[in-house]
Structures are given as C-alpha cells and as structure tokens.
Amino acid sequence: MQKWYLSLRFKELVINRRGTEIWRIEDFKPVPLPKSDYGKFYCGDSYIVLQTTCNKGGAYLLDIHFWIGKDSSQDEAGTAAIKTIELDTMLGGRAVQHREPQGYESDKFLSYFKPCIIPMEGGFASGFKKPEEEKFETRLYICKGKRAIRVKEVPFSRSSLNHDDVFILDTEKKIYQFNGANSNIQERAKALEVIQHLKEKYHDGVCNVAIVDDGKLQAESDSGEFWVLFGGFAPIGKKAVSDDDVVLETTAPKLYSINNGQLKLEDIVLTKSILENTKCFLLDCGAELFVWVGRVTQVEDRKTASAAVEKFIIKENRPKTTRITQVIQGYENHTFKSKFESWPASSTAGNSNTEEGRIKVTALLKQKGVDVKGISKSSAPVNDEVPPLLDGGGKLEVWCINGSAKTALPKEELGKFYSGDCYIVLYTYHSGDKKEEFYLTYWIGKHSVREDQEMVFQIANTLWNSMKGRPVLGRIYQGKEPPQFVALFQPMVILKGGISSGYKKFVEEKGQKDETYCADGIALIRVSGTSVHNNKTLQVDAVSTSLSSTDCFILQSKNVMFTWIGNSSSYEQQQWAGKVAEFLKPGVAVKHCKEGTESSTFWSAIGGKQNYTSKNVSTDVAIREPHLYTFSLRNGKLEVTEVFNFSQDDLLTEDTMILDTHSEVFVWMGQGVETKEKQKAFEIGEKYVEHAVAFEGISPDVPLYKVIEGNEPCFFRTYFSWDSTRSVIHGNSFEKKLSVLFGMRSEGGPKSSGDGGPTQRASALAALSSALNPSSQGKQSDERPPSSGDGGHTQRASAMAALSSSINTSSKSQTQSHSGQGSQRAAAVAALSNVLTAEGSHSPHHGRGSPTADAAKTELAPASPPPEIEPDATETGRTEPDVSQEQTANENGGQTIFSYERLISKSTDPVSGIDYKRRETYLADSEFQTVFGMTKEEFYEQPRWKQELQKKKADLF
C-alpha cells in the first residue's frame, strides 16, 4: 500500500489530475511507466492502466484496467489483478475494474490509445528488444474493427493475406494498405488511421502511402510494387480460421452469489434489489463476465471474489482471453445495468457515492500527512453556461394542427402555445458559414388528443421529406422544451386549453369544463427562468396557492393587468414579466405590486388570500456525460453498444448512431443509409428512449431529434471537435477518410462518378486554407490541438499537392477552348510553388525534402485536419477575434506569455491586446498544467463543450 501511494503522487492525481497513468509489473511490483512509453505494450508483460475523467458535475470517474500480454506469466497476471484491487481501495473503492487480455481488449481500453496499440514481442523479464535505429524492419499487420481497431502483426508472407481482411505492409519507403475483396469498408477507413499513426511514429511523417485493392493488378502501379515485395503476384488462399476469429457467444445472463470463494447460482428474475451491499456477485454473460461488489464489502472479500472468478473460468473451460469487468455498487456501467429487467435510478445515489469517495480519499491523505484543506468540499459547478443557440435573424413559421390540416399562426400570435394543441415550428436561418439551415420541430401539448399527436408527426415528416431531409427534425413535449426552441420565441407562453377542433370535441365528449385562455377572462401566469433560452412562462390555476416567492406572476383580470413580484425573484424575471404582459395585452397599462403590498382587488381576483410557498423548489437535475451508441435490434429489443471517447471520426456515413446527452437524444444517420431506414429514425429513437428510461433514468419526454449527415445543427456539433469541411467530401467512409488524411482517391474507386473533382477541390481548399493562414491555427485550437513538429511544412506540401492534383485532374477533362483558363491555373500553381519553396528554404526541417518535391508525388503527405473554412473571410471578417502574436507582443513590451492572475476575467491587472475568447493559450505550459490538470495537447483533444466548461471553472472564459 505504501509503495502504491509513493508512486501515485496522490494529491495531484486524485484531486486535480485527469488522463492516463500506467504501471508495468516488474518483479511482481508496479513500476510507473515513463510518459514516452505510453501506448507501448510488450507481449511478455502485464500492465495496470488508470484512467481518470471529470464529469460535468465535477466528480472524478475512475477506470482501472489490467492488461495481460499473451506471453505474460500467470504469476505476473495474478499480481496485476491483486494490485488493481489495492489501487482501487486506495482510490476510495469506487473504480470500475477491467481485465484486458491481449488481442481481446475492451473498446473502452483501446479508446485511450487511438488509433490503436501494436503489442511488441519481448518483455521485462526477457529483456526488451531494442531495434537499431538505422535498421528498418518490414512488417505486415492485420487490422480489424470499425471503431476500436485491433492491430496484430502477422508473418511477412503471402500466405498471411486473405480476401476478407485489411492488411498494412510497412516498408521503409512506402506504406501499403491491402484491401481484401470482401473486407469491410469501415475497416478499410480505420486502417488508414493506423497508416497515419505508423507514418508519424516510425517515418517522421515523411513516407509515401499506397492503396492496393485485391484482384486489381496493374503492373506499373502501386499494386505491381506491392506484389513484387511478396516475390511476385500469385493467387492468395482462403482465410484460415484462427483463435482470433472465434467470437464468443453472448448468452442469457446468469447470476451467482459469492460467499467465501464459493459460487451459488441464483435462479431468480434479475432485478437490482437482489444485489446486497455486503456481498459480491458474478454475472455470467458468456462472452463477458461481471463481478459486482457491494459497497461495504472488505478488501479481502473482493480479492477472494476475484480468485473465485478465475477458478470459474478454468472450471467452465472458458478461454483465457475472457474479459472480466468488476463494478462497484453505485458505479455500474451501462452494459452491466442493461442485463437486468430494469434498473431504477436513484436521484441522490450518484451524489452520495461521489461524496463518500471524496471522504475516503481525504481520510487516506490525512493518514499520509498530506494537506487536504478544501479537498472534501464538493466543487460541482453551477450549470449556468449558455448552450449553443441558433443564429438569429431567420424566418420563423408556426402552424397549429386542426384536424387533418395545419393552420398558420399570424405573427402577433407567435409564441403562444395551448397545452391542448399540437404545433409545427420551422425556423430558416443562415449559419456562420452562410449556409442555409432549417430547424423543424413539432410540439406536443400535455393535454392534446392522440389524433392530433399522430397527425402532427405525419405532417411534420411530410414537410421534412419535401425538403429532402435537410432540416433537423425534432419531437418536443410540453415542459421539456430545449433552449434552442425556447430562444426562438421572445417570449414563449404556454396557456391552458386548446383551440383545435380535436381538443374542443374531446372536452365536450368528456363533459369537462373548457379552461381555454381568453383575453378577456381571469388568468394567472407564472414567469420563471432568467435568460432567453430558459424563460418558461406557464398559465397556472388562478388561486393564491399557485403563487411562489421565488417567481414573478402576471394576473389578468378582464381588462386589468397586474405583475406580482416575488420577494426572492430575480431582476431578469421581473423584466420578463413586463414583456409577457405587453405580449398578451399590448398597450394595456400594467399595475406592479411587490409581494406583501397587494391590493384587495388583486386578492379578490384569485379567490382571496391563502398561504403559498416561499421556498425555492429545487429540481434535482441529473448531470451526465454525453454518450454515443451503435445499436442493433434483436427479437424486437434494442441493444446498444457504447462508442467511448467518441469523435467525429466515429460518425461513419453507412451507419445510424444514437447520441444521448441526457437533455436530448439525437438519431444521426449517414448519407449512405438507405432512404427507407431514414424514415425509421423516430421509431429507433423511441425504442432507445424506452431503453434509457429503464436503465439510465432519462425522462420519457426527452427531446428527440433526427439528424442527417451534412446537416448537423450547432447544438449537435458542440459535442464533437467538429470539422465542417468533411461534409463536402463525397463517397463511402473509406473514400472520405482517404481524402481527409492523404488527399487521395481510391485506385479502384468509380472514377466516372464525377465525385473525384469536387472531393479533390474540397481537400485542396481545406489544406490550402490551413497552409496559407497560419494565424488561424490559434482559432483552430478552440476545437483541436495545434499541429506539432513540422506541421506547417507538411501542410504546405499537402496544399501544393492537393491543389495541383485538383487542377490537373479538372484540366484533363477540359477542351481546347478552355486552354486560357488552364494556363491561368498553371501560372497560379507555379507562383504559389515559388512562394512556398522560398518560404520552405528557411524551415529548420529542410532536410526532410522540399514541399514542391513532395507535391509532385502521387502519394501525398497528410495535412493536419483542416480548420473550418470561412467563405469570403477577407470581405466579411472573422466571426471570432483573431489577435496575432505580433499585436499582443507590441502591446505588452514583447511579451506573449502571462500569469494566470493577469489572464482571468476578474483580474485586477488585466492583459490588453489578447484574444479574450482564448485566454488559456497565453499561459505557460507549466501553469496551464497546474490550472487545468492536463497538458495543452490533452486539453484541446477534448470536445469543445468540455473545454468551455473547464475554462469557465478556471475563470478564463
């Protein structure tokens, strides 16, 4: 235990540190691995990997993985398992533990080391193989996986190849990707990321890349070179079945209780209540085993349970590669919970468990003599950040459903919603890049009739189809309006009753009183919320018990209007109350009264004075990270698989994905998805919502959106480090990735389709913009980390090559009458080449080859991921300030790095001449690490919403 503590640097790691920590088992002891060796795993060793993340609520989530190399000894593997339990105990007993056999690692583990890990032969006990730097060894790899890719070295032999898989041949001068004729398109795309990784790691970023398609032999092309390396072309055999191809079958879950190392089958329906907090349980799902540990179990009980599960694997003749995940009560992952009939959510469980973990860690640190002042206090931030809203100045149209038709609302009625009706809302606007976008939603009132609810979906879907799927289509229930919807209406008021014929008929048939709001009647309206995106205004029962000291109210008594100001209400609420009163009855004088100063006329209008609440009714909002899922339907039941540490790369054009942010659910569909499937988006979304209600505790009325690739709205893109230039690249996921990473087209691609020209031009434009606008790299840091090393050199090479390829390709199809235009293009390329060559002559990396030399090759050096291109940037200016380093230095005596105290927004000695939206970029690397608990590179790898949240917490917003 003491050794663990010394090696962990606990105060820094547990309280402030996020990211990855790795130890290797050496002589049965955990030894910290140097950061430079992260991602290197030797087949003869076992490792422990700790991943620490911070969620939106400020709580730290812990995952501990112990990786077992295929040649690691049983004793070493056992040591890793025991030390994992000890480490978890030291961290407060709340980490999820994972057993990771080599070649069968979990997707979550692999997501820490994107794009892949490539285990190397050797290990600590046998002495590491140190390859000589001057000697390059040609290697052949097989790649498997659509998102989490598994890479394995195979013998460099023709017999290793087959028609079903994707292979990478890494030679000294060139890297080849061999696509088996029957291989998966998405595996081909992922293999390109591995090539990029190999190129940067083993070739200093300077290496040619070639694509070889199975069965397409051309003697003087890359495929000819490829087969020469194998001794000449010859037919390859069928794929031989190996252990790697054996997919363990997922079976119906069986639950065993573990007592004193003995397993007992619990033959009952699986419910959460079975799990006792004093016991350990084994959940056997065939392909994967879960060990559930009660919160109050002892360390020795947990070690005994771990040993019992290892014996179970042997007894049941399960493969040694079986994955085992150990979860602690209160920290169960989605996969575990979904094996039960349901998993009732506890609104306070997460908070109490987090606080319990803090207390345990604090007590431990006190024992070690560490100053723990302030550590045990909760630091959960107040969620007051402004979400992404739709650009203003657009056209707003609203229709109310009446029978089988929709009736357009006049402009003066926009913002009035009746709880007995259903509405369609269409907002047409232009985004920052001048692209026309559409926000199409349908709103369902709480008391609307089923016929209207069905009709509003049909009409909205017909409208969506007529617009060729360009709008984002949303379903919104009353009371769950998202901020983007609310912000469209200034104000938005929900009134009692309904004006549709369906609602009127329903009230009459049921013999109920029609309470529909009337401009000349008595109405009490509550005003809550403080901003344009959360102002909720709702008509309530016109009685004094409806009042609350924390809100403002509007009382309409025929032709008299009152605004009632609660003593605990905010200034913003008071302003909104006046605005709503003017909206409901324009031009009518409003009488203002503060709580406690009401007239008898006021009280008589609402039936006399009675007691009402003066306390703030707190809504327990669950704070949860966004999750991205793939899914499958088995026997009508939806099964989801999480994509961990997701990015835009995981949105594959052939797939349908589900993004659950807890506040809303998106069904994203790629352009490659069939039209019939796109019509089923809401059916899929509804099945997922039912699933998430049972296991994740989300509301059944959560906003549900359908989003088509290329038309993603800002409030979807915010969960990714988004690159808009990718949407203009056509083709399947492999062709898109090939263009993005290397500016190339597939050798076997349909060259007559006409997509090549636009694709090449898009790549050229993106690379050229990035190369010629180095100042934009600072802006780019809002979405991703800046390039390192010789990024500028590579970008310029890519720009030249992509531009040259684009122009040369297009010029081949031009007739002689366009020769003048072709000459202009040639002159432009030549002039640009001279500029960049001259610039490159001053580069410290000139020894790696000139950009123009690279540009002449057909295999292109990759550019950094292109930034968003802003059309007509020279005319319209940037949407965000872009302050150059020169300007900053000029205004600060040559200084460009400043202290944290001067950069914070509330500084008493603020810095001038900086980009105030990117204050963090002016911190020194060491101080950046202290403030954010991670390096700048790690910070900018996060989605933008995480960056903004952390900047706000650090007062650098």
Side-chain angles (χ1 to χ4, degrees), residues 383-390 480-492 528-537 576 952:
N383 189 19
D384 58 352
E385 60 180 313
V386 178
L389 303 177
L390 305 179
K480 291 295 181 180
E481 295 84 4
Q484 295 79 22
F485 184 88
V486 174
L488 294 178
F489 306 96
Q490 301 300 315
M492 175 183 175
S528 57
T530 58
S531 304
V532 295
H533 63 275
N534 66 8
N535 61 90
K536 299 292 181 71
T537 305
W576 275 111
K952 179 167 283 190

Side-chain angles (χ1 to χ4, degrees), residues 587-868:
V588 174
V590 179
K591 298 180 179 181
H592 304 281
C593 63
K594 292 187 177 180
E595 182 179 359
T597 65
E598 303 87 353
S599 65
S600 58
T601 305
F602 177 90
W603 289 121
S604 63
I606 53 176
K609 183 177 182 180
Q610 299 180 52
N611 291 332
Y612 55 85
T613 182
S614 59
K615 296 180 180 179
N616 192 5
V617 180
S618 60
T619 55
D620 194 3
V621 180
I623 299 175
R624 183 166 161 266
E625 297 296 285
H627 296 270
L628 184 69
Y629 298 101
T630 61
F631 70 93
S632 61
L633 291 170
R634 183 174 297 181
N635 297 326
K637 182 181 178 182
L638 185 79
E639 296 184 358
V640 298
T641 303
E642 184 166 1
V643 179
F644 297 100
N645 294 315
F646 62 84
S647 68
Q648 188 180 355
D649 285 332
D650 293 308
L651 300 175
L652 302 177
T653 192
E654 299 85 9
D655 279 356
T656 299
M657 310 289 292
I658 295 171
L659 176 64
D660 177 5
T661 72
H662 206 76
S663 300
E664 64 259 307
V665 172
F666 298 91
V667 180
W668 180 92
M669 295 185 148
Q671 292 288 359
V673 175
E674 293 183 4
T675 303
K676 286 184 179 180
E677 292 301 312
K678 289 178 181 176
Q679 298 297 330
K680 297 179 182 178
F682 275 92
E683 181 182 336
I684 294 166
E686 287 168 355
K687 284 183 179 292
Y688 172 76
V689 170
E690 291 175 10
H691 172 90
V693 167
F695 297 103
E696 297 297 338
I698 73 169
S699 169
D701 296 336
V702 65
L704 177 62
Y705 290 103
K706 171 166 66 172
V707 179
I708 302 299
E709 181 183 12
N711 298 303
E712 297 87 352
C714 60
F715 54 96
F716 176 89
R717 300 193 302 261
T718 189
Y719 295 102
F720 301 82
S721 293
W722 197 262
D723 180 0
S724 296
T725 60
R726 297 189 182 191
S727 62
V728 302
I729 302 174
H730 301 282
N732 59 39
S733 52
F734 171 67
E735 292 164 343
K736 284 173 177 276
K737 183 70 67 175
L738 191 62
S739 180
V740 167
L741 288 182
F742 304 108
M744 296 167 59
R745 290 188 62 202
S746 171
E747 185 176 302
K751 297 182 180 180
S752 61
S753 65
D755 288 342
T759 299
Q760 284 184 315
R761 288 175 181 77
S763 300
L765 184 59
L768 187 62
S769 172
S770 182
L772 298 185
N773 293 282
S775 63
S776 68
Q777 295 306 306
K779 178 179 178 183
Q780 181 181 345
S781 67
D782 282 347
E783 295 189 346
R784 62 185 70 83
S787 303
S788 59
D790 58 347
H793 203 80
T794 305
Q795 282 183 323
R796 288 164 176 76
S798 296
M800 279 300 305
L803 184 66
S804 176
S805 178
S806 169
I807 294 174
N808 290 339
T809 300
S810 63
S811 66
K812 288 179 183 178
S813 61
Q814 301 292 319
T815 63
Q816 293 298 320
S817 62
H818 292 78
S819 60
Q821 187 178 7
S823 300
Q824 281 184 318
R825 290 174 177 166
V829 172
L832 182 61
S833 174
N834 291 334
V835 171
L836 297 184
T837 303
E839 185 180 271
S841 66
H842 301 291
S843 169
H845 301 285
H846 61 274
R848 294 185 180 177
S850 69
T852 50
D854 288 343
K857 300 176 182 178
T858 56
E859 299 82 15
L860 307 182
S864 301
E868 290 191 13

